[in-house]
Amino acid sequence: MPFIDDPLSLRGKVAVITGGGTGIGAETARVFARHGAEGVVLAARTESDLETVAAQLAVIGKEAGNPALRVLPVRTNVKEEASVVAMVERAVAEFGRIDVLVNNAGGTRMGPLESLPTKGWEATVGLNMTGPFFCTREAGKHMIEARSGVIVNVSSGAGVNGVRNGAPYSAAKAGLQMFTKVTAAEWGRYGIRANCVAVGAVASERSVAAWEAANLDRSAMGKGTALGRLGEPSDIAYPILFLSTDASSFVTGQTFSADGGTLLGAPRDD
């Protein structure tokens, strides 16, 4: 591999980020802007969130010496095939290509398996696994034609170890991890890499609101990790940056855990 002066640069690259209006997706967009991305397509369901992040990126681009950065917010529901097709078509029409796809949109509602409604299962699997499939297939068509591309899927520790009262979420995230491996195996011949980040408890805006609504003790949650703290969106955005750039040019088909470390059953004594 030839020498690269800045292996963490996204100079000249166009990235699509789903769930780009809040949390990990929004922070990833900000990190990409700071690292030279030429274009960022923000895909999410809430237009006001998209517009807020797009405005932030314009400022960040100028401050980071990346004034040529262009941002395209696209209202998208990744569970709807037609919505994903339209988003990818707009991205390609605007920028001519897609170099990086970050499948970040996801979420769940917790509940016991015995009372889980069918619609709840289908909605969770649709958001966390079928949505990334739609996005990967549609963006992948253009990556295959270009013989180049990077896909980063955002999974969860639930997909590695499971979580009680989260059967559909755990199953979908585990499926996303295997989908990543198969994508890497099938598309490596086209110069396309696919990797996955299994995320632990991250204090994003919506997570914090959900924890507060459930009266959860965030301090206690943080002590459940080896590092003794909850994650922040930036703790995930930078691993995504690494997997999106030439710094990871020989890495594909992998799932990386970014979860603060496990305690292996022993409680912290602080």
Side-chain angles (χ1 to χ4, degrees), residues 13 52 79 91 120 163 191 259-261:
K13 302 295 185 180
T52 296
K79 294 190 295 183
V163 61
D259 59 5

Side-chain angles (χ1 to χ4, degrees), residues 189-248:
R189 59 183 171 172
Y190 302 120
I192 298 169
R193 296 187 297 108
N195 290 291
C196 193
V197 180
V199 176
V202 174
S204 63
E205 308 99 290
R206 290 182 177 176
S207 293
V208 169
W211 297 337
E212 290 177 346
N215 293 317
L216 295 179
D217 184 348
R218 281 189 278 164
S219 176
M221 293 169 63
K223 289 181 178 179
T225 71
L227 294 180
R229 68 175 179 87
L230 295 171
E232 298 292 336
S234 60
D235 290 317
I236 311 303
Y238 281 99
I240 291 173
L241 174 69
F242 167 72
L243 293 172
S244 300
T245 63
D246 288 335
S248 60

Side-chain angles (χ1 to χ4, degrees), residues 21-165:
T22 59
I24 292 170
E27 183 62 18
T28 298
R30 290 187 281 264
V31 168
F32 279 19
R34 293 187 186 102
H35 284 78
E38 178 181 308
V40 175
V41 180
L42 297 169
R45 289 180 296 176
T46 306
E47 289 185 21
S48 58
D49 290 340
L50 292 174
E51 295 297 339
T52 296
V53 178
Q56 292 173 351
L57 297 189
V59 174
I60 289 170
K62 293 178 181 178
E63 292 177 345
N66 184 19
L69 171 68
R70 289 188 290 159
V71 182
L72 177 65
V74 183
R75 187 176 183 277
T76 308
N77 184 345
V78 298
K79 294 190 295 183
E80 297 179 358
E81 184 174 10
S83 182
V84 172
V85 170
M87 180 270 290
V88 171
E89 287 178 347
R90 282 195 62 189
V92 174
E94 178 74 19
F95 296 106
R97 68 191 189 281
I98 297 172
D99 301 300
V100 178
L101 168 65
V102 179
N103 282 314
N104 166 71
T108 188
R109 291 184 179 178
M110 309 297 285
L113 178 59
E114 64 270 19
S115 58
L116 177 69
T118 301
K119 286 186 178 180
W121 173 278
E122 291 175 343
T124 300
V125 173
L127 176 58
N128 294 282
M129 190 163 65
T130 307
F133 159 66
F134 289 151
C135 294
T136 298
R137 184 190 64 193
E138 294 306 310
K141 295 174 183 178
H142 301 280
M143 292 179 176
I144 289 171
E145 184 178 355
R147 313 292 289 192
S148 177
V150 177
I151 299 164
V152 182
N153 295 319
V154 178
S155 181
S156 166
V160 178
N161 299 309
V163 61
R164 286 178 293 180
N165 293 324

